[in-house]
Amino acid sequence: MRAAAPALDRWSTATGEREILLAGPRSFCAGVERAIEIVEQALHRYGAPVYVRRQIVHNTHVVHGLSGRGAVFVEEIDEVPEGAVVVLAAHGVTPEVRLQAQRRSLRVVDGTCPLVSKVHAEVRKFAAAGKTVFLIGHADHEEVVGTRGEAPGDVLVVADPEAAERVTPPDPEQVAYVMQTTLALAEAEATAAVLRQRFPALAAPRKDDICYATTNRQHAVRDIARESDLVLVLGSRNSSNSLRLAEVAATEGVPAQLVEDAGEVELSWLAGTRRIGVTAGASAPPQLVHDLVDALSGLGSVQVRDITVTEENVRFNLPREVS
């Protein structure tokens, strides 16, 4: 019993009645639903195996589930047997990846989110007009790598306002900007504001690049954070939009933790909490939210309250290869 005492203490401090605030919208967005359906339909139409370059979306639960149904995830195109079916992930790829697939006679099904494809098109348009394109985003993120590949000699990645203060284009009169779709809106706008101030001739996209779902989930998590003692964000650590949700919650002065699932929640986080905010990144399955609520209810009675800032009814068509 003496050895078990610390664990029992942690358990007892984590128990109690609680209210759980569920942020809405949360979990899958239209682009993620489309990407997953593309792999499912490809498996149905062509049979297993269907190869997928990189993670179709940045969530380990989604990847494991599709792997169990016959999807084979690879890092690069040269790992795919010649003539096989390959799905390109939702984050987009460089033109060079498409050429590699063509050389290997692969049957390509494009899972790129239409909102990411829009940014690719903007880069091509600006570069064709002779402009240097500032790409506001994180250089190592797959979406940024793919977008930059549209015109690598004409794109400068700008990570934050500090980088925006330092960046030097060849011609300050011929510049434009685009954004990674999964950024925190406030941070991205702060970076764009610096660029606008420094470069009065700066051209902008006709419509905002930040994904509607990213913006909606950030607004929702901010609302629940203001009423919570703790915010739990469900999502994988390589998911940019999930990371941003935890960051946005933390800016409201509340502890925020990003977890893969309920199994990663530490009892010590729950000590003294009576109101817990819960959300999920755009690539996190809705079932993870239900599992987390069930787990928290095992520590005492809970009341669940939905706080929805807006309804989403966006739907993207499937590519013709699987429609």
Side-chain angles (χ1 to χ4, degrees):
M1 285 297 293
R2 186 176 295 115
L8 292 172
D9 286 343
R10 287 195 298 273
W11 182 268
S12 64
T13 57
T15 59
E17 296 182 0
R18 290 190 175 87
E19 184 178 28
I20 299 176
L21 307 182
L22 297 182
R26 60 182 177 272
S27 194
F28 285 168
C29 65
V32 166
E33 289 176 340
R34 176 181 183 269
I36 294 170
E37 188 176 357
I38 285 172
V39 178
E40 292 172 341
Q41 290 299 320
L43 286 165
H44 176 72
R45 173 168 295 192
Y46 303 110
V50 164
Y51 293 84
V52 184
R53 183 184 181 273
R54 309 285 174 89
Q55 292 187 345
I56 184 67
V57 298
H58 286 159
N59 187 271
T60 55
H61 291 276
V62 170
V63 171
H64 290 161
L66 292 173
S67 295
R69 299 175 61 176
V72 178
F73 291 85
V74 299
E75 282 297 300
E76 298 300 344
I77 289 295
D78 60 13
E79 300 173 54
V80 182
E82 289 195 10
V85 176
V86 63
V87 178
L88 303 180
H91 314 99
V93 299
T94 66
E96 177 58 29
V97 170
R98 299 180 189 276
L99 284 174
Q100 290 171 3
Q102 185 178 345
R103 294 187 196 110
R104 296 183 65 79
S105 301
L106 301 181
R107 183 173 293 182
V108 175
V109 185
D110 193 354
T112 304
C113 175
L115 299 180
V116 174
S117 296
K118 165 185 170 293
V119 181
H120 280 234
E122 289 167 351
V123 170
R124 292 193 299 269
K125 180 191 73 172
F126 286 138
K131 297 182 184 296
T132 296
V133 184
F134 300 125
L135 172 50
I136 300 173
H138 304 293
D140 58 349
H141 191 275
E142 282 185 53
E143 181 186 326
V144 170
V145 172
T147 303
R148 185 175 182 272
E150 293 289 353
D154 298 307
V155 175
L156 298 176
V157 179
V158 182
D160 50 38
E162 290 73 25
E165 292 283 7
R166 300 189 303 268
V167 67
T168 305
D171 183 355
E173 297 300 314
Q174 290 292 323
V175 288
Y177 78 88
V178 297
M179 293 179 179
Q180 178 183 336
T181 64
T182 55
L183 295 178
L185 182 60
E187 179 184 355
E189 280 300 322
T191 304
V194 173
L195 294 174
R196 292 188 198 104
Q197 183 177 28
R198 289 190 61 203
F199 306 105
L202 186 70
R206 286 195 299 174
K207 288 186 64 176
D208 289 343
D209 288 333
I210 301 297
C211 165
Y212 77 93
T214 296
T215 300
N216 289 345
R217 281 153 186 73
Q218 289 174 12
H219 287 163
V221 79
R222 184 175 287 112
D223 275 12
I224 64 167
R226 291 167 180 162
E227 298 186 47
S228 300
D229 303 314
L230 168 71
V231 171
L232 298 174
V233 179
L234 290 155
S236 293
R237 287 169 183 79
N238 63 336
S239 166
S240 177
N241 76 86
S242 299
L243 286 165
R244 301 293 87 76
L245 289 177
E247 291 173 359
V248 168
T251 62
E252 296 298 323
V254 61
Q257 300 288 346
L258 175 64
V259 294
E260 284 276 1
D261 50 41
E264 288 194 353
V265 176
E266 298 284 347
L267 290 175
S268 59
W269 301 342
L270 306 177
T273 62
R274 290 295 172 261
R275 188 174 286 160
I276 298 177
V278 173
T279 190
S283 50
Q287 184 60 43
L288 298 180
V289 176
H290 301 309
D291 293 344
L292 178 56
V293 172
D294 287 345
L296 292 173
S297 66
L299 297 170
S301 62
V302 298
Q303 290 187 328
V304 178
R305 176 156 56 104
D306 274 281
I307 299 180
T308 300
V309 299
T310 188
E311 299 290 341
E312 292 179 348
N313 54 15
V314 177
R315 172 77 179 174
F316 295 131
N317 293 330
L318 297 180
R320 58 181 174 79
E321 292 84 1
V322 293
S323 60

